[in-house]
Amino acid sequence: MTTPSSAPVAGSLPPAPDAKIAMGWMHTAKFLTTAAQLHHLPPIDVPEIAFVGRSNAGKSTCINTLTQQKQLAFASKKPGRTQHINLFSLGKQGVTDAVLADLPGYGYAAVSRSDKVRWQQVMVNYLVSRPGLTGIVLLCDPRLGLTELDEALLEVVRPRVEEGLKFLIVLTKADKLTRAEQAKVLSITRLQAGGGEVKMFSALKKQGVDEVAQLLWQWAHPVLPATAAPEAAPEPTPETPEDSQPN
């Protein structure tokens, strides 16, 4: 898995798997590595899916709920204190077929301005240049909606999304809203998503968990375009008896 990486080959999404298959796949997640700097991350030659969002948007809870592991993604008691990119491998029978990347939360006032600027630059560099990045999951508290920082992130990744990068906005803590409020925020966020998908999510009520897991499975297992078989060389024309007679 540490061979030199390259951009993933574009492909169409396969049919959504059964929820049990997708959730079983997510449950295979294991800690792979952590890095404080982008150049410390290992090259990855399988699809990589990044989780990003404001501090306290429920990112760690979302990852832990999807993987059915309470402590896989570290949730600091002080939002904004986690300042590493953490990678988790996915795959059954010891064969890694995808990687999740948990990026530090942004926008919280508990860290210094210099740290904010440094980590914002690390995140931007990761999102625009990380080879093998297949999809981005943006976590957002629907009670706040997309903030200026969220919208700035959307602008950063827009060129890659237009080139085929998958994008999903997960509206966490859906249990805090009524059904009418959920419908309203879904409608508004879809207009802001710029072509990405939007899903409601509640770790408490398990709302949207299966659907998000199924979509991530699809991202990690694209149907690659069939390659055309090389044309066979024309068979030589057999000689006729006249051709084989000496002059």
Side-chain angles (χ1 to χ4, degrees):
M1 192 180 63
T2 56
T3 57
S5 59
S6 58
V9 178
S12 59
L13 293 183
D18 182 84
K20 290 183 179 180
I21 293 176
M23 291 299 292
W25 174 71
M26 292 294 301
H27 187 55
T28 65
K30 296 179 181 179
F31 175 76
L32 180 61
T33 190
T34 185
Q37 298 291 338
L38 187 58
H39 63 272
H40 291 159
L41 289 175
I44 301 295
D45 60 1
V46 295
E48 188 168 327
I49 300 170
F51 283 71
V52 298
R54 282 180 58 87
S55 298
N56 210 29
K59 180 163 53 66
S60 297
T61 300
C62 178
I63 294 174
N64 291 338
T65 300
L66 287 168
T67 60
Q68 306 124 78
Q69 300 182 45
K70 293 182 179 180
Q71 299 294 330
L72 182 68
F74 176 71
S76 174
K77 293 182 180 179
K78 294 183 178 180
R81 292 296 188 184
T82 305
Q83 297 188 6
H84 286 71
I85 298 174
N86 298 311
L87 300 185
F88 307 100
S89 63
L90 290 168
K92 293 188 174 182
Q93 299 178 342
V95 178
T96 298
D97 58 11
V99 166
L100 302 181
D102 181 13
L103 274 63
Y106 52 82
Y108 195 72
V111 295
S112 67
R113 177 176 175 80
S114 61
D115 284 340
K116 285 182 183 179
V117 171
R118 179 173 64 85
W119 266 108
Q120 286 173 4
Q121 190 59 53
V122 170
M123 287 182 60
V124 168
N125 290 341
Y126 172 92
L127 294 172
V128 301
S129 65
R130 176 67 170 164
L133 183 62
T134 298
I136 297 173
V137 180
L138 171 61
L139 286 299
C140 176
D141 186 332
R143 297 169 297 178
L144 302 176
L146 293 180
T147 66
E148 289 185 8
L149 287 175
D150 295 326
E151 292 177 350
L153 183 144
L154 288 175
E155 287 302 313
V156 166
V157 302
R158 191 178 304 279
R160 294 195 73 174
V161 172
E162 292 174 350
E163 294 173 356
L165 181 72
K166 305 295 188 295
F167 190 79
L168 168 67
I169 297 177
V170 171
L171 299 171
T172 59
K173 308 177 184 181
D175 51 278
K176 304 292 185 181
L177 304 180
T178 65
R179 288 191 176 184
E181 290 171 334
Q182 289 186 28
K184 181 178 179 180
V185 73
L186 266 175
S187 178
I188 294 173
T189 309
R190 282 171 177 156
L191 293 175
Q192 299 172 306
E197 297 197 47
V198 183
K199 293 187 181 295
M200 301 298 304
F201 188 95
S202 169
L204 180 64
K205 301 292 186 180
K206 298 298 184 284
Q207 178 182 352
V209 176
D210 288 351
E211 291 85 349
V212 172
Q214 288 170 306
L215 182 59
L216 299 188
W217 186 95
Q218 289 177 289
W219 286 3
H221 303 87
V223 177
L224 301 181
T227 55
E231 294 185 6
E235 295 184 3
T237 304
E239 291 185 347
T240 63
E242 292 80 3
D243 294 334
S244 60
Q245 291 179 359
N247 293 331

